[in-house]
Amino acid sequence: MSETILIVGSGAREHAIAATLARSSSQPKLACFSGARNPGIATLCSEYGIGNIANPAEVAAFAGERHATMAVIGPEAPLAAGVADALWAAKVPVIGPTQSLARIESSKGFARELLAKHKISGNPFFQRFASLDGLDEVFARYPNRHVIKDDGLAGGKGVKVCGDHLLSLEDSLAFCRELVAHGHSFVVEEKVEGEEFSLMSFCDGKTLQHMPAVQDHKRAYEGDKGPNTGGMGTYTASDHKLPFLENADIAAAQQINEQVASALAMECGAPYKGILYGGFMATCDGVKLIEYNARFGDPESLNLLPLLETDFVEICRAIVDTTLADCVVSFSPKASVCKYVVPEGYPDNPRKGDAVLLPAELPQGVTMYLSAVDVKDGQLIATGSRTLAVVGMAATITDAEALCERVVCQIPGPFFHRADIGTRPSIARRVEHMKAVRPA
Ligand code: AMP
Ligand code: GLY
């Protein structure tokens, strides 16, 4: 049977998903359904539908009309809305969990309570609240060391950290009052210290195949300054761990992902089929869980998908057929550095409508994924969010960074990127930080 694979979403992550499916030896037909037309994805797809990706019926109808044989869901909003449920009901197998299983991302309280209930390590102290009752005790226990999280999806705006966004107990109380006023429940947890890393696993509901560890850079400006963003760039190392991590940290994160997948199956009575993405912090007290995502990371997946050696369509089939245990998943032993080019003013007040001029040719070892861009009168223009991502791949992080930077710095116009990501001084700072947090 010839395969038609539907990709839901239209950012750089979905461009990378489409490009990786497109290099499968099975040469599947690709279709995309999203809120916007990404010209990079469009060149790889024979069908492109525009609509509301968080409307399960709309996505399922498009999949049915295009005779999709499988679907890959990129972003979190459709997962939280139950798009996977609607696709399975329409007999389209999905890479991406059903609504109930996606609570691992869509509810911070659910994720914390799942770990606690199933005695999985990695939780810092936490407490879930629906009102202000009992807050005083938690604030008295962790006056300057707490993090407050909106329980639900808040597009990166729902987390406030002591010393960062919360400079006094009054700030903390004000944020909690605001959440309660909006009828949101929230979690207050202990602020832990260390270096963050992402560990994603392919999961068929029974077996997990882990991907290399990645480090993201959430702050907008160099030196980890400025507002939080969706992620300005990421790197991986050729040995598939990160320079500041011990093998035991990777093993601990892998084990947490495995235990969470089984706990989810027990809790929801259904297998988790998709990508399980743990956001972890290596601390003086072992690996702590910061958050779970129910999808590929963006930018993390931009580093890893181009290094994937195994046929991606085969992995997707194995996920839906529960045969991942028989699949050898391998990534090329190379380092990678990904940097996003974003409009001036991003993330708070980004310019929109500026022309994006791409380099005529990319050097070997570099790939580019388009994100928030549109075509007007034959010209690529930026639409305000992260514009495009450039990934350099080489034997070392330093070489990958140099390759990536060579291309990124050629993109003219009112855009910026973080030149420091993946550089020697930036990595050394992270190694030093880890040494200070966790002396040998
Ligand atoms: P999240 O949306 O849960 O990833 O949180 C956004 C950011 O807040 C994370 O990337 C961390 O830098 C920070 N953060 C979240 N939870 C904690 C925690 N318990 N301790 C320290 N930092 C945290
Ligand atoms: N890189 C952060 C995320 O995908 O949520």
Side-chain angles (χ1 to χ4, degrees):
M1 181 178 63
S2 77
E3 193 90 80
T4 298
I5 306 180
L6 171 66
I7 297 146
V8 179
S10 59
R13 167 182 48 208
E14 290 74 30
H15 189 187
I17 290 170
T20 312
L21 292 169
R23 63 183 170 82
S24 164
S25 61
S26 64
Q27 290 294 292
K29 267 178 68 178
L30 300 180
C32 179
F33 186 79
S34 192
R37 189 177 174 84
N38 177 326
I41 298 177
T43 58
L44 298 165
C45 290
S46 49
E47 311 268 358
Y48 206 117
I50 303 282
N52 178 4
I53 58 169
N55 181 329
E58 234 183 279
V59 181
F62 181 83
E65 285 157 19
R66 286 357 187 237
H67 307 289
T69 50
M70 206 153 51
V72 184
I73 300 178
E76 60 274 24
L79 296 167
V83 167
D85 308 60
L87 286 166
W88 280 106
K91 306 223 167 355
V92 181
V94 191
I95 316 304
T98 55
Q99 188 172 39
S100 169
L101 291 153
R103 283 180 296 163
I104 195 68
E105 171 165 5
S106 64
S107 167
K108 310 266 188 201
F110 173 83
R112 289 280 178 229
E113 282 172 359
L114 187 81
L115 265 77
K117 180 174 170 190
H118 292 263
K119 300 192 171 36
I120 301 170
S121 72
N123 259 349
F125 167 85
F126 78 98
Q127 202 169 317
R128 212 170 173 179
F129 292 91
S131 72
L132 304 177
D133 294 347
L135 260 182
D136 290 350
E137 285 151 51
V138 178
F139 287 163
R141 192 165 161 194
Y142 296 101
N144 308 309
R145 276 197 312 123
H146 59 259
V147 179
I148 302 169
K149 300 182 171 182
D150 189 336
D151 188 64
L153 292 179
K157 301 254 185 280
V159 177
K160 291 199 194 267
V161 181
C162 259
D164 224 347
H165 323 83
L166 305 170
L167 301 176
S168 65
L169 272 183
E170 199 33 58
D171 287 353
S172 299
L173 261 175
F175 184 45
C176 295
R177 279 197 207 103
E178 186 189 320
L179 292 168
V180 171
H182 286 94
H184 294 199
S185 58
F186 60 95
V187 174
V188 180
E189 57 190 47
E190 177 192 355
K191 177 182 174 183
V192 289
E193 209 209 325
E195 279 294 318
E196 284 184 62
F197 64 100
S198 308
L199 198 290
M200 301 188 287
S201 311
F202 295 108
C203 182
D204 69 3
K206 282 207 170 124
T207 301
L208 275 74
Q209 297 272 7
H210 305 293
M211 300 182 220
V214 190
Q215 190 174 39
D216 190 8
H217 297 68
K218 293 203 167 151
R219 299 305 191 107
Y221 312 137
E222 280 162 34
D224 296 317
K225 306 265 186 328
N228 269 327
T229 69
M232 291 295 288
T234 23
Y235 66 93
T236 66
S238 57
D239 61 1
H240 295 167
K241 47 177 232 200
L242 293 165
F244 55 87
L245 291 181
E246 309 285 338
N247 288 335
D249 298 320
I250 303 273
Q254 292 179 341
Q255 190 184 23
I256 295 173
N257 279 5
E258 284 165 18
Q259 292 174 331
V260 163
S262 345
L264 276 169
M266 270 188 256
E267 204 63 30
C268 304
Y272 184 103
K273 290 181 176 289
I275 314 305
L276 191 57
Y277 160 170
F280 297 101
M281 195 178 288
T283 74
C284 63
D285 187 27
V287 166
K288 298 290 177 194
L289 173 74
I290 297 297
E291 63 164 355
Y292 261 105
N293 293 317
R295 51 174 172 79
F296 275 121
D298 185 354
E300 287 89 339
S301 53
L302 313 184
N303 294 74
L304 295 179
L305 287 171
L307 294 178
L308 183 63
E309 291 174 330
T310 314
D311 193 308
F312 189 29
V313 175
E314 277 174 30
I315 296 177
C316 292
R317 261 286 143 228
I319 289 173
V320 300
D321 293 344
T322 324
T323 55
L324 207 47
D326 307 328
C327 202
V328 179
V329 175
S330 69
F331 289 86
S332 166
K334 279 188 184 153
S336 65
V337 172
C338 171
K339 302 194 193 205
Y340 259 113
V341 172
V342 301
E344 273 178 12
Y346 175 83
D348 295 329
N349 191 19
R351 288 176 60 112
K352 293 179 185 161
D354 293 303
V356 183
L357 299 170
L358 302 181
E361 247 181 82
L362 294 176
Q364 212 182 354
V366 175
T367 169
M368 182 182 284
Y369 299 113
L370 301 182
S371 190
V373 292
D374 200 356
V375 180
K376 282 232 166 85
D377 304 325
Q379 169 67 57
L380 209 56
I381 55 143
T383 56
S385 198
R386 291 177 294 180
T387 308
L388 62 87
V390 175
V391 187
M393 290 158 281
T396 64
I397 300 172
T398 306
D399 291 348
E401 193 279 330
L403 263 176
C404 176
E405 192 63 33
R406 217 167 92 198
V407 173
V408 165
C409 70
Q410 280 177 43
I411 295 167
F415 299 100
F416 74 97
H417 70 280
R418 277 188 56 173
D420 62 336
I421 292 170
T423 58
R424 274 184 210 274
S426 167
I427 304 241
R429 218 153 44 81
R430 286 165 161 76
V431 171
E432 286 309 309
H433 179 216
M434 201 65 242
K435 275 193 195 146
V437 164
R438 186 168 60 183

